[in-house]
Amino acid sequence: MLDLIDIVNKFAFEGKVEEVKPLGAGHINDSYMVRTQGEAPDYVLQRINHQIFKDVDALQNNIKRVTEHIRKKLTEKGVSDITRRVLTLTPTTQGTLYYRSADGNYWRLMLYIANSKSVDEVSPALSFLAGRAFGDFQAMLADLPEPPLVETIPNFHNIESRLADFREAVKNNLAGRLSKVKYMVDEIEKRSDDLCISESLQHEWRIPRRINHCDTKVNNILFDKDTDEVLCVVDLDTVMPGFVMSDFGDFMRTAANHGKEDDENLDNVYFRMDIYESYTNGYLETAQSFLSPFEIEMLPFGARLLTYMQTVRFFTDYLNGDTYYKIKHPEHNWQRTKAQMKLLQSIEENIPQMLDFLKSKRPC
Ligand code: GN1
Ligand code: MG
């Protein structure tokens, strides 16, 4: 771990490093917990995956703008303990927002949010709080001054572009895996026209692009360890313009799944209406003021869209020979694909009830 300590020492942090150890389960970047000696705060060190985030300057600059804007809003509201309510980037001793090591890797350091926890499974009560928090996050960023944020991954949540990559992967069959998984290609293709509607709606200007988090997995919210209060939204790499239904949908995909994202036992995987209802209640409390009725009506579709998109993305990576997501075993992306497809089917069955719930909330 000596070299990691050397890297931390390139940053202008408080105190002395005691230990650096792996943290979390992200599929893209590598994260480490940096414990310091004595009273000094702890930190999180991350190696940024620059194969995926190709413009690290733009990435870090986006995060700086987003966190500073939120910090300003929280200060105006008189919120206390701001360092637990928004991420704080620690610059290098040279004043830059990342450090580039001799081996070509990019590193960043952030304050660790003390006494916090992330969860992979929420109760309806926590889901309500998470909904309020993500709505609030979008609301706080709605007036971010120009220029627009850079799209750190172009076409990130664009289903047409994801399907184009998928079709290319099917055509090339690079890993030679296609013959045994052909039925999944059909499952995806038979839904493609329906699911591409979101992009057409944007072309017709019926849904606007707003600043989105674009990775609203349930474990990207930090809760207070003791009180379960929401502290902070983390993982800001993909904050960029998008459709609000896709942020809503990614939370549904991860939190309202009774099973795991990569569950081996497909019987565990099904959609939880209780989580949907409580999240929707929380989300509308903070977001209703800026959403159009049509955007609200499209939220259940967002759950379908993001689960479909994630099925397509895991499957594409499987066909390409696992070049994008970190995997734990050779069939991991296939296992993920099957679990996401099962969840998608369950969401599809629940769409009428989801829409009914929204109708029941409309003021008479
Ligand atoms: C990746 O690294 P992580 O777990 O925060 C991915 C998300 C996917 C998610 C699937 C930059 O997020 O888009 O939804 O895996 N992030 C990127 O679990 O591709
Ligand atoms: Mg992420």
Side-chain angles (χ1 to χ4, degrees):
M1 284 290 172
L2 196 78
D3 48 340
L4 288 180
I5 296 183
D6 279 350
I7 288 164
V8 179
N9 283 328
K10 302 291 177 194
F11 289 86
F13 67 103
E14 265 178 66
K16 265 187 168 281
V17 179
E18 185 163 284
E19 64 163 347
V20 181
K21 55 175 193 195
L23 174 76
H27 298 347
I28 308 293
N29 299 318
D30 297 327
S31 303
Y32 303 89
M33 171 81 194
V34 178
R35 290 216 181 273
T36 56
Q37 296 168 8
E39 292 296 291
D42 295 327
Y43 293 84
V44 176
L45 174 71
Q46 281 188 313
R47 189 177 68 83
I48 301 167
N49 186 330
H50 66 278
Q51 312 297 336
I52 291 177
F53 297 106
K54 296 195 163 64
D55 185 348
V56 178
D57 275 298
L59 170 76
Q60 289 298 89
N61 198 42
N62 270 6
I63 297 178
K64 180 170 189 269
R65 289 179 58 204
V66 164
T67 51
E68 282 179 355
H69 191 74
I70 294 179
R71 190 167 298 114
K72 198 171 129 226
K73 288 269 153 110
L74 295 174
T75 313
E76 283 164 7
K77 278 196 215 159
V79 172
S80 59
D81 68 348
I82 288 189
T83 51
R84 295 180 80 216
R85 303 291 171 158
V86 59
L87 287 177
T88 308
L89 285 174
T90 305
T92 64
T93 52
Q94 307 297 307
T96 53
L97 295 174
Y98 61 86
Y99 168 68
R100 183 146 196 221
S101 49
D103 59 3
N105 278 312
Y106 293 80
W107 303 86
R108 67 179 167 215
L109 194 73
M110 286 165 288
L111 271 184
Y112 175 74
I113 309 235
N115 206 34
S116 64
K117 64 172 182 192
S118 65
V119 296
D120 288 306
E121 206 185 309
V122 284
S123 61
L126 283 196
S127 159
F128 174 84
L129 297 176
R132 245 186 5 200
F134 275 124
D136 206 29
F137 182 83
Q138 289 173 342
M140 284 194 285
L141 291 172
D143 62 349
L144 184 81
E146 293 286 304
L149 292 173
V150 175
E151 282 198 38
T152 50
I153 301 179
N155 290 320
F156 189 54
H157 277 179
N158 180 328
I159 189 59
E160 288 173 352
S161 150
R162 295 293 179 185
L163 281 169
D165 293 348
F166 159 72
R167 287 173 182 143
E168 193 62 23
V170 172
K171 195 174 92 202
N172 297 335
N173 189 18
L174 284 178
R177 288 167 160 169
L178 186 62
S179 60
K180 42 178 197 107
V181 295
K182 270 228 163 91
Y183 79 92
M184 191 59 82
V185 177
D186 301 337
E187 287 294 328
I188 286 173
E189 285 298 356
K190 75 180 186 204
R191 293 170 168 86
S192 65
D193 287 350
D194 278 6
L195 272 299
C196 281
I197 192 151
S198 52
E199 291 300 323
S200 342
L201 287 171
Q202 191 216 340
H203 302 313
E204 293 166 22
W205 293 98
R206 290 188 66 200
I207 38 176
R209 282 159 76 79
R210 306 182 189 276
I211 296 184
N212 259 14
H213 181 275
C214 292
D215 194 9
T216 45
K217 287 170 104 156
V218 57
N219 58 15
N220 278 334
I221 287 201
L222 297 184
F223 296 90
D224 187 286
K225 240 185 208 163
D226 304 322
T227 64
D228 280 354
E229 190 191 354
V230 170
L231 292 174
C232 182
V233 170
V234 298
D235 190 356
L236 306 177
D237 290 329
T238 49
V239 178
M240 58 175 129
F243 308 137
V244 293
M245 66 166 147
S246 80
D247 266 8
F248 181 91
D250 222 5
F251 190 88
M252 289 302 115
R253 181 183 75 77
T254 54
N257 180 358
H258 173 269
K260 295 199 296 265
E261 183 179 66
D262 59 352
D263 219 307
E264 264 178 295
N265 180 357
L266 296 182
D267 290 341
N268 283 338
V269 177
Y270 55 87
F271 189 67
R272 286 185 57 182
M273 278 298 287
D274 58 340
I275 297 296
Y276 162 77
E277 289 177 7
S278 50
Y279 186 85
T280 304
N281 285 338
Y283 179 63
L284 291 181
E285 213 178 275
T286 44
Q288 194 148 27
S289 61
F290 64 86
L291 296 179
S292 72
F294 186 61
E295 279 176 299
I296 296 177
E297 201 182 307
M298 289 299 286
L299 294 176
F301 180 82
R304 194 175 164 210
L305 176 64
L306 265 282
T307 307
Y308 178 72
M309 196 180 308
Q310 197 60 58
T311 314
V312 171
R313 291 177 64 192
F314 285 146
F315 193 32
T316 303
D317 201 32
Y318 182 68
L319 295 174
N320 284 339
D322 312 310
T323 56
Y324 189 90
Y325 291 107
K326 291 186 201 165
I327 50 166
K328 294 200 177 117
H329 54 85
E331 293 296 291
H332 202 173
N333 274 317
W334 177 235
Q335 192 176 310
R336 288 163 168 160
T337 306
K338 285 186 292 184
Q340 293 294 290
M341 177 52 75
K342 172 73 199 297
L343 178 65
L344 175 63
Q345 288 161 345
S346 174
I347 291 175
E348 288 169 348
E349 284 162 17
N350 278 285
I351 292 276
Q353 289 92 297
M354 291 162 89
L355 288 167
D356 283 348
F357 176 75
L358 281 179
K359 273 190 215 127
S360 73
K361 290 186 61 67
R362 228 180 263 156
C364 308

